[in-house]
Structures are given as structure tokens and as C-alpha cells.
Amino acid sequence: MRKSSRLILALDETDREKALDIADAVSGTVDAIKINWPLVLSAGPEMITELSRRSDVICDFKVADIPNTVHLIVDGALGRGASAVIVHSFTGSDSMKEAVDTAAGRGNIYAVTEMSHPGGKEFTAPNAEALALVGVRCGVKGFIAPATRPDRIAAIRKVIGDREILSPGVGAQGGSASAAISAGADYVIVGRAIYKSDDPSKVAGDIADEIRTVL
Ligand code: O7E
């Protein structure tokens, strides 16, 4: 994934045509497009391939399963053209290692350690540093840390060295792109603030400009 605007679009739009229009509008600005179950369930897994012609695609399937099932999901997503897959880290080192081994030479694995919504403070935040250490040992490319709590981005950065941090929670969830980058994130992930706006291209450009002010 290139590291230019440091902005990743979370394309949770469920209308296939609208999703493709938005992807076309912002693909020159964003460094990657992240897709999740809402778009895959409504438009089909072929959207992974379709979008991969426009941008790097990160499949945010938050995989949380036994190693064999992790292998099948990661293999399927990369086989359709994804550049990266996101997995949960709480499943443990064997599942995370299986994801990394399956992706080797074909793509990257990012691990979720702490979620950005208020409920993320209940179980994920208290365990995030320990989960991140396991992810480092398993060789993941990077981690997901919450833009809604920049102090937590800084805390995860201390544990993971120079591995990447992708940070969701900007805009609709109240987080700030520049604060997340300043706290140590490499990229921010933005969904509704872009894909629900009247002018996705302009909003993406504005967020990229904001990020540039703190680089
Ligand atoms: O709030 P939005 O609309 O900007 O969308 C945020 C996206 O990031 C959405 O797809 C959501 O599923 C995802 N996300 C979070 O919001 N919080 C998290 O803690 C983790 C993710 C996520 O993407 O995890 C993997 C990157």
C-alpha cells in the first residue's frame, strides 16, 4: 500500500453502483479502500476484484476463528485481489500466525487489538498491549488502533516499534485525522464522513490536506 495521503476509505456503502462511483471519485486521493461485510454481502465478493482495479483493497473481515478457517478466508480474499486482510488478535498466536503464513508473499495481515467504539474500552482496551505483542511475534504488518482515543494510539506505538498503525474512528465517531496521525498512526480510516457526503472527492481531499499539516 502506498503511503501518500495516509487516508484509507472505509467503503461501507451497500449500493454497488454508488460504491463504485465513490471509489472512482476518491481512488486518486486515498492510499487504499477498506471493505467490510456490508458491501460484500450486498454486492458480492467479486467487489474485491472490481475495486482492486482501482486501488489497493483491504478486506476488513475481522477474522476470528480457528487456524484452518482463518487460512481459508485469508486465502479466498487474497485470491480475489485483496492486498491485505484484517484479523482479530484475541484468537491467539496460532490463528494469527496462520493468517501471516497464508498471506506470505501475497499480501499483508493487520490485527485488531482495541476497537474504537465505547464498548471497545470494556474488553479490548485492557488487553490491547498484550495482544499487540503477540501480533508482533506473529509477524503482522500492523495494527488497528482507535482514533477516538489518541492516547491509546500512542500506547500501542510504544509496544509495536515501527510496525504500521491504521486508525479508524475519524469523523462520524468523533475522532480527528490530524490528532490520530500526531499520536502515531500511519494511516487513518474514514467511512461515513466521506461516502455519505455530497462530495466524497472534496471531503477526502480536505482530510488529506488536514493530515498533511501534521506530517
Ligand atoms: O465510522 P466510519 O463510518 O468512519 O467507519 C469506520 C470503519 O472502520 C468501519 O468500517 C468500521 O467497521 C471500522 N472500524 C471501526 O470503526 N472501529 C474499529 O475499532 C475497527 C474498525 C476496523 O476497520 O477494523 C479493522 C480496520
Side-chain angles (χ1 to χ4, degrees):
M1 165 164 67
R2 69 186 180 199
K3 198 168 183 182
S4 177
S5 65
R6 298 173 181 242
L7 173 61
I8 296 170
L9 169 67
L11 189 53
D12 294 328
E13 167 63 56
T14 54
D15 180 285
R16 181 181 184 278
E17 297 312 314
K18 273 193 207 162
L20 289 174
D21 285 349
I22 294 164
D24 284 337
V26 306
S27 59
T29 304
V30 301
D31 288 336
I33 296 176
K34 180 185 83 71
I35 60 172
N36 195 334
W37 294 114
L39 181 58
V40 172
L41 289 173
S42 62
E46 44 287 347
M47 277 301 270
I48 301 170
T49 313
E50 190 69 45
L51 289 167
S52 72
R53 300 191 182 108
R54 295 160 170 83
S55 166
D56 274 331
V57 173
I58 302 174
C59 281
D60 174 15
F61 292 159
K62 294 190 184 71
V63 188
D65 222 310
I66 60 168
N68 183 61
T69 311
V70 169
H71 170 82
L72 293 170
I73 297 171
V74 171
D75 187 57
L78 297 175
R80 287 179 180 273
S83 314
V85 180
I86 295 171
V87 303
H88 267 299
S89 50
F90 68 79
T91 49
S93 51
D94 52 356
S95 288
M96 239 188 308
K97 185 76 169 52
E98 181 61 43
V100 170
D101 288 348
T102 302
R106 303 160 67 200
N108 291 312
I109 298 297
Y110 293 92
V112 183
T113 51
E114 172 174 346
M115 298 202 65
S116 59
H117 63 307
K121 288 196 265 187
E122 294 172 9
F123 298 105
T124 59
N127 296 297
E129 281 92 335
L131 293 172
L133 273 177
V134 178
V136 168
R137 281 203 295 274
C138 291
V140 303
K141 176 81 172 172
F143 296 88
I144 311 302
T148 47
R149 298 188 285 280
D151 59 312
R152 297 297 303 151
I153 297 175
I156 293 299
R157 170 59 67 207
K158 281 192 191 140
V159 173
I160 65 165
D162 60 4
R163 286 173 202 266
E164 291 179 357
I165 295 179
L166 282 46
S167 186
V170 168
Q173 295 179 54
S176 138
S178 48
I181 297 289
S182 298
D186 295 284
Y187 300 87
V188 294
I189 297 171
V190 184
R192 286 163 287 179
I194 295 175
Y195 73 78
K196 277 190 181 297
S197 82
D198 292 335
D199 191 344
S201 171
K202 178 173 184 320
V203 175
D206 288 348
I207 296 170
D209 287 345
E210 181 197 327
I211 291 170
R212 215 167 291 122
T213 63
V214 294
L215 292 179

